[in-house]
């Protein structure tokens, strides 16, 4: 019966293979990374009309003291300076 159900409802298979409905660590609000990680802020990029991607911007530890207590504008300006940016693509889990 399992193959029949998968054929009828392919989204069910996707949920159980990728488990993207689980957020780990449990009971944390991943929209507020500053509660979990130092020098990190949550930003959103619009990649195309109707598609918004959530990102975390983490500055290096060497700029940690400078970043402490700063607002979103400071982090956006830090992205525009001459320092390299490393993009980490975490996979298809659905959470950051």
């Amino acid at each position: 019966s399992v193959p029949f159900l998968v054929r009828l409802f392919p989204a069910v298979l996707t949920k159980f293979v990728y488990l993207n409905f689980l957020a780990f660590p449990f009971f944390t609000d991943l929209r507020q990374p500053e509660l979990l990680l130092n020098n990190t802020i949550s930003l959103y990029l619009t990649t195309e009309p109707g598609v918004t991607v959530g990102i975390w911007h983490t500055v290096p530890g060497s700029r940690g003291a400078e970043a402490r207590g700063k607002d979103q504008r400071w982090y956006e300006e830090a992205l525009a300076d001459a320092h390299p940016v490393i993009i980490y693509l975490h996979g298809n889990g659905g959470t950051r």
Side-chain angles (χ1 to χ4, degrees), residues 12 22 32 62-63 79 84:
V12 172
L22 295 177
Q32 296 180 339
S62 60
R63 295 185 72 185
L79 279 173

Side-chain angles (χ1 to χ4, degrees), residues 38-41 43 57-81 83:
N38 293 329
N39 314 324
T40 303
I41 192 169
L43 302 172
H57 177 214
T58 303
V59 296
S62 60
R63 295 185 72 185
E66 183 184 355
R68 197 164 293 120
K70 300 293 187 195
D71 61 354
Q72 181 175 337
R73 182 182 174 130
W74 184 89
Y75 281 86
E76 290 172 355
E77 290 173 358
L79 279 173
D81 64 13
H83 293 87

Side-chain angles (χ1 to χ4, degrees), residues 29-43:
D29 185 3
L30 297 176
R31 293 171 295 181
Q32 296 180 339
E34 61 275 5
L35 300 176
L36 301 169
L37 302 169
N38 293 329
N39 314 324
T40 303
I41 192 169
S42 185
L43 302 172

Side-chain angles (χ1 to χ4, degrees), residues 12-64:
V12 172
L13 177 65
T14 303
K15 292 287 185 191
F16 286 110
V17 169
Y18 298 117
L19 298 176
N20 58 3
F21 57 90
L22 295 177
F24 185 79
F26 301 112
F27 307 112
T28 58
D29 185 3
L30 297 176
R31 293 171 295 181
Q32 296 180 339
E34 61 275 5
L35 300 176
L36 301 169
L37 302 169
N38 293 329
N39 314 324
T40 303
I41 192 169
S42 185
L43 302 172
Y44 295 92
L45 300 175
T46 302
T47 58
E48 58 186 58
V51 177
T52 301
V53 177
I55 64 167
W56 283 356
H57 177 214
T58 303
V59 296
S62 60
R63 295 185 72 185

